[in-house]
Amino acid sequence: MPELPIEQSPEALELARLRQVNSELLAKHGRDKVKFAELEQGTASLQAKLTETSESLYQATVGVPLRIMAEAMSSVPDLFLEQFSKHFKVESVKGALTLQTSDGKPALDKNGKAIPFEREILTKLLTEGDDPRAKTFRAITIVSKASGAGFSSSKRTVAPAPKIQFGLG
């Protein structure tokens, strides 16, 4: 006997179609999850590179000049930098180093002008006054490079040391 084609009900056809669409969507969801994980990993990698590059750029433009300034201004540059960072920040704005307060606002002098990043001006700013900050910076800042051992043009002669005789004779 020949087999008669089995007619499926519309509900059965709809159910089969929904199952196929469901399996296609699950497969697409799996591919999307894999792609999303790859993109997240790529984003994390790029973020790490950006952070590293940003830190290198900061060190080259701000960190090194600040370190050089600290070494020129203090006999204890690490302590100087620690105390300096409690009160001020140095940022590169349009290629120029600018002094800012610890909250990121430009550091201004009494006339309302921005304080330049220069040794003499910073020394004056940090060491003048009676507040605890000024007292700390006075103790660790080299105000003058003068040693007190100036050159003298007068010639001095040194008296010969007396000869000491050892023994009995």
Side-chain angles (χ1 to χ4, degrees), residues 79-167:
L79 180 60
F80 180 90
L81 288 171
E82 177 187 326
Q83 292 299 315
F84 185 83
S85 67
K86 288 180 182 179
H87 305 284
F88 298 101
K89 293 189 315 183
V90 176
E91 294 293 330
S92 179
V93 177
K94 296 180 182 176
L97 294 179
T98 59
L99 189 64
Q100 298 178 347
T101 60
S102 58
D103 58 356
K105 296 177 183 173
L108 304 174
D109 63 11
K110 295 172 187 171
N111 300 327
K113 292 184 179 181
I115 299 172
F117 187 71
E118 297 175 6
R119 184 178 192 275
E120 294 80 23
I121 295 170
L122 284 177
T123 300
K124 188 176 180 180
L125 170 73
L126 296 173
T127 58
E128 286 185 351
D130 292 330
D131 57 295
R133 181 197 77 198
K135 289 179 183 178
T136 301
F137 278 104
R138 272 196 299 274
I140 62 174
T141 302
I142 301 169
V143 177
S144 171
K145 290 281 189 180
S147 66
F151 178 74
S152 174
S153 63
S154 65
K155 294 194 176 212
R156 295 185 187 170
T157 57
V158 178
K163 292 184 179 181
I164 300 174
Q165 189 174 23
F166 291 102

Side-chain angles (χ1 to χ4, degrees), residues 17-35:
R17 192 177 67 75
L18 287 174
R19 285 186 177 151
Q20 182 176 352
V21 168
N22 185 36
S23 67
E24 289 171 1
L25 288 174
L26 287 174
K28 184 179 183 309
H29 176 70
R31 288 188 305 269
D32 289 347
K33 279 181 79 173
V34 168
K35 186 168 184 163

Side-chain angles (χ1 to χ4, degrees), residues 55-72 77 81 90 97 117:
E55 179 62 29
S56 295
L57 180 62
Y58 178 83
Q59 282 303 318
T61 58
V62 176
V64 171
L66 182 59
R67 180 73 183 178
I68 291 170
M69 181 71 77
E71 289 171 354
L81 288 171
V90 176
L97 294 179
F117 187 71

